[in-house]
């Protein structure tokens, strides 16, 4: 399996090079040149396989010979080492909880998987690798945790000043060692642009072996397909569905795009709903056919405060830039903070289930779709992407005290004894570049 750049289909690279470079030198995202189809029989018998076997079937064709199977198997076991409960909320609406990992958000899976791949490649090449990553909140924590103390790898995380929650900041700034936190006086899109810019910079490339750990990196993006297979496996045990509907709270559109890949591999998914907060570039695009990102608005679902989602170019490619085809598989709705808060309260009062602001938007998207498509009776799932405690300050006041702390040891992050190490930089690529060039690599 080779990967081509979305800007030039002739630029083909291996999985190893795609993971090691993150972004193609022409600035395009990498995309697998083909999408393997899994056997019909395998899909319909998913319930008899364990999740590790399923994950191996799903991911192996994308890695091929670049990592030995035994090693992939270790990475998979290391990555999927926490539960992914599927719960019924009411009627046909289910929630897939993806926040039981070490940093309480779904990005733990992609980050850990990628860290495993990168360790393998760093060791094989005998080279130290620098991971540059922009975060709207949760990527930073997941990547910091997944890569902490991995030999041969250093991680530089750029996050927006005042744009992430206190726990998220703690998760990024408290580990130290090979994890460096840069607070940028800008928003997420500014951080992401600086990272993209750095990859294309000749002087930086001379000094560093740079890669990204954003969902633009195939090593982080593709393992997110696992969620959809796991959900289907759990659903067939319960209900034997023919097709599923997924609502995915979306920011950079990596997670939903992974779902669309799972669908192309043969997983029966009827429809996707990309649920967004007020950063509604994609809902507007699907209506008007005009792609017109405007400046980022701050919301209480801050991990989705992104107005120019990188992975949308992958989705657009998957549907051959054909709006008619895309609309058959995808709709996108946006919701305000007020709507988000009121649904969190309502779901708690009625069903005693506590949504976080991101999952709440997932629920709202699903509800809107089901209201518009009343004849649909198969099970539907929204993804709950973070634990509500991570967004404590944004939760309705009367619920804050009711949040049950997760079993994971978040005290390590909340412990004030841990140093908060960060470097503040202005939103200027040249200042960032000078800083990178002047510092010595550990
Ligand atoms: C990153 C994140 C999202 C958005 O996922 P994308 O793949 O960027 O669309 C949603 N919810 C939470 C909690 C996140 O951390």
């Amino acid at each position: 399996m080779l990967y081509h750049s979305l800007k030039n289909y002739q630029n083909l690279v291996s999985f190893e090079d795609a993971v090691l470079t993150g972004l193609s030198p022409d600035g395009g995202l990498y995309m697998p040149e083909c999408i393997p189809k899994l056997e019909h029989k395998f899909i319909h018998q998913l319930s008899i396989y364990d999740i590790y076997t399923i994950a191996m079937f799903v991911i192996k064709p994308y890695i091929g010979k670049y990592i030995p199977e035994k090693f992939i198997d270790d990475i998979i076991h290391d990555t999927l080492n926490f539960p992914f409960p599927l719960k019924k909320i009411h009627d046909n609406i289910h929630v897939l909880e993806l926040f039981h990992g070490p940093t309480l958000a779904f990005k733990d899976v992609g980050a850990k998987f990628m860290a495993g791949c990168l360790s393998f490649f760093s060791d094989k090449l005998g080279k130290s690798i620098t991971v540059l990553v922009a975060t709207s909140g949760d990527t930073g924590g997941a990547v910091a945790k997944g890569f902490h103390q991995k030999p041969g790898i250093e991680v530089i995380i750029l996050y927006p000043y005042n744009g992430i929650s206190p726990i998220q900041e703690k998760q990024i700034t408290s580990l130290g060692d090979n994890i460096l936190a840069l607070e940028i006086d800008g928003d997420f899109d500014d951080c992401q642009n600086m990272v993209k810019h750095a990859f294309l910079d000749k002087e930086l490339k001379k000094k560093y072996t740079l890669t990204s750990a954003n969902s633009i990196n195939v090593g982080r993006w593709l393992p997110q397909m696992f969620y959809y297979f796991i959900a289907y496996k759990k659903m067939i045990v319960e209900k034997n569905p023919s097709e599923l509907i997924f609502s995915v709270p979306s920011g950079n559109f990596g997670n939903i795009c992974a779902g669309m890949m799972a669908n192309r591999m043969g997983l029966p998914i009827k429809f996707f709903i990309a649920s967004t907060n007020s950063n509604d570039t994609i809902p507007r695009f699907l209506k008007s056919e005009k792609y017109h990102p405007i400046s980022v608005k701050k919301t209480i679902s801050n991990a989705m405060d992104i107005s120019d989602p990188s992975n949308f170019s992958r989705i657009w490619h998957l549907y051959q830039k054909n709006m008619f085809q895309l609309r058959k598989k995808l709709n996108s709705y946006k919701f305000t903070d007020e709507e988000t808060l009121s649904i969190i309260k309502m779901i708690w009062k009625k069903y005693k289930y506590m949504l976080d602001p991101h999952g709440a938007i997932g629920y709202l998207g699903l509800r809107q779709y089901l209201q518009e498509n009343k004849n649909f009776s198969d099970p539907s799932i929204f993804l709950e992407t973070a634990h509500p405690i991570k967004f404590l300050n944004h939760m309705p006041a009367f619920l804050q005290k009711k949040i049950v702390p997760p079993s994971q040891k978040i005290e390590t992050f909340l412990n004030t004894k841990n140093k908060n190490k960060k470097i503040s930089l202005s939103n200027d690529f040249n200042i960032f570049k000078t800083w990178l060039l002047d510092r010595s690599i550990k």
Side-chain angles (χ1 to χ4, degrees):
M1 167 83 69
L2 293 174
Y3 292 78
H4 66 74
S5 158
L6 282 179
K7 292 218 168 132
N8 181 348
Y9 295 4
Q10 266 73 52
N11 285 349
L12 290 167
V13 299
S14 64
F15 176 74
E16 175 169 349
D17 286 339
V19 171
L20 283 171
T21 51
L23 195 66
S24 164
D26 62 21
L29 271 67
Y30 284 120
M31 193 73 190
E33 59 172 347
C34 63
I35 301 173
K37 271 249 178 226
L38 294 168
E39 274 184 45
H40 189 76
K41 203 171 144 216
F42 171 73
I43 303 267
H44 288 271
Q45 292 185 345
L46 274 188
S47 59
I48 66 168
Y49 297 100
D50 62 42
I51 59 171
Y52 312 107
T53 310
I54 296 173
M56 180 61 90
F57 267 104
V58 171
I59 205 73
K60 177 92 176 68
Y62 296 95
I63 300 179
K65 60 181 191 323
Y66 293 96
I67 301 179
E69 187 158 331
K70 172 73 190 73
F71 210 93
I72 302 177
D73 194 50
D74 290 346
I75 298 176
I76 289 174
H77 276 83
D78 191 39
T79 301
L80 301 179
N81 66 349
F82 50 87
F84 301 90
L86 181 75
K87 296 175 179 167
K88 181 171 161 169
I89 303 289
H90 62 86
D91 301 301
N92 285 321
I93 299 189
H94 300 71
V95 57
L96 182 70
E97 294 183 349
L98 301 179
F99 55 76
H100 296 274
T103 70
L104 314 179
F106 81 94
K107 295 188 174 78
D108 284 321
V109 163
K112 261 203 155 172
F113 193 91
M114 187 188 154
C117 296
L118 216 51
S119 285
F120 178 83
F121 293 137
S122 155
D123 199 39
K124 179 184 145 201
L125 299 171
K127 263 210 275 203
S128 128
I129 296 169
T130 300
V131 175
L132 270 189
V133 62
T135 183
S136 55
D138 287 332
T139 290
V143 168
K145 184 80 187 151
F147 286 73
H148 186 218
Q149 295 179 335
K150 287 258 179 219
I153 304 178
E154 85 168 344
V155 180
I156 300 174
I157 301 170
L158 285 76
Y159 68 93
Y161 169 71
N162 245 342
I164 66 177
S165 82
I167 292 192
Q168 289 175 325
E169 185 170 26
K170 260 261 143 70
Q171 290 182 336
I172 295 168
T173 56
S174 63
L175 289 171
D177 300 321
N178 62 332
I179 311 292
L180 274 120
L182 296 189
E183 179 188 59
I184 304 296
D185 190 10
D187 58 33
F188 170 76
D189 287 336
D190 297 323
C191 296
Q192 179 155 270
N193 280 332
M194 281 163 88
V195 167
K196 282 188 183 166
H197 220 107
F199 288 129
L200 306 176
D201 190 279
K202 291 211 172 64
E203 284 173 84
L204 289 176
K205 283 211 278 201
K206 230 171 155 180
K207 173 162 176 179
Y208 292 96
T209 307
L210 282 183
T211 191
S212 84
N214 282 96
S215 49
I216 55 175
N217 193 306
V218 296
R220 218 202 89 189
W221 168 57
L222 290 171
Q224 298 177 353
M225 289 189 289
F226 300 160
Y227 307 137
Y228 299 86
F229 285 90
I230 292 173
Y232 196 73
K233 168 187 159 73
K234 297 201 163 180
M235 205 53 112
I236 22 187
V237 174
E238 269 185 34
K239 294 210 155 149
N240 228 348
S242 49
E243 286 188 301
L244 293 177
I245 285 191
F246 279 98
S247 170
V248 185
S250 295
N252 221 0
F253 282 65
N255 198 5
I256 193 166
C257 185
M260 291 175 149
M261 293 284 292
N263 180 222
R264 283 291 169 88
M265 290 183 82
L267 197 67
I269 302 174
K270 181 182 160 132
F271 202 73
F272 290 94
I273 300 135
S275 306
T276 76
N277 59 27
S278 301
N279 295 289
D280 62 345
T281 305
I282 302 306
R284 283 187 287 110
F285 175 67
L286 286 174
K287 280 201 194 83
S288 68
E289 305 197 20
K290 292 198 180 67
Y291 189 86
H292 181 55
I294 49 176
S295 54
V296 175
K297 297 191 190 88
K298 281 195 179 170
T299 73
I300 58 168
S301 46
N302 69 267
M304 311 198 299
D305 289 354
I306 296 171
S307 90
D308 187 6
S310 292
N311 288 289
F312 195 73
S313 62
R314 286 185 166 133
I315 295 178
W316 199 220
H317 168 83
L318 274 178
Y319 292 88
Q320 284 97 33
K321 309 188 181 182
N322 180 323
M323 188 56 104
F324 180 74
Q325 293 301 330
L326 181 61
R327 282 182 181 143
K328 283 205 247 170
K329 249 321 164 208
L330 177 74
N331 203 345
S332 187
Y333 306 111
K334 76 123 183 223
F335 301 95
T336 62
D337 282 352
E338 291 70 38
E339 291 170 301
T340 308
L341 284 171
S342 85
I343 201 71
I344 293 175
K345 292 180 204 159
M346 194 280 259
I347 294 292
W348 174 259
K349 286 196 176 127
K350 247 178 136 167
Y351 306 108
K352 286 286 170 285
Y353 186 83
M354 191 148 358
L355 295 163
D356 98 296
H358 303 78
I361 286 180
Y363 175 85
L364 283 166
L366 188 52
R367 191 179 69 166
Q368 178 147 349
Y369 177 81
L370 294 176
Q371 278 165 356
E372 289 173 11
N373 297 272
K374 289 220 162 56
N375 50 359
F376 186 79
S377 59
D378 281 319
S380 52
I381 299 173
F382 68 96
L383 304 186
E384 179 45 286
T385 46
H387 192 287
I389 206 163
K390 234 182 151 170
F391 301 95
L392 194 62
N393 310 353
H394 291 322
M395 293 292 285
F398 82 99
L399 277 179
Q400 294 186 3
K401 286 187 288 300
K402 293 198 165 71
I403 299 178
V404 182
S407 49
Q408 295 96 318
K409 290 210 165 81
I410 55 161
E411 311 90 71
T412 41
F413 293 116
L414 298 175
N415 189 341
T416 41
K417 271 190 294 189
N418 279 338
K419 280 181 240 101
N420 254 336
K421 275 195 282 188
K422 65 180 177 197
I423 295 162
S424 303
L425 291 181
S426 49
N427 174 19
D428 177 335
F429 176 72
N430 286 314
I431 291 177
F432 173 53
K433 177 175 166 179
T434 309
W435 178 81
L436 278 170
L437 288 174
D438 289 350
R439 64 186 285 275
S440 58
I441 309 178
K442 265 203 245 161

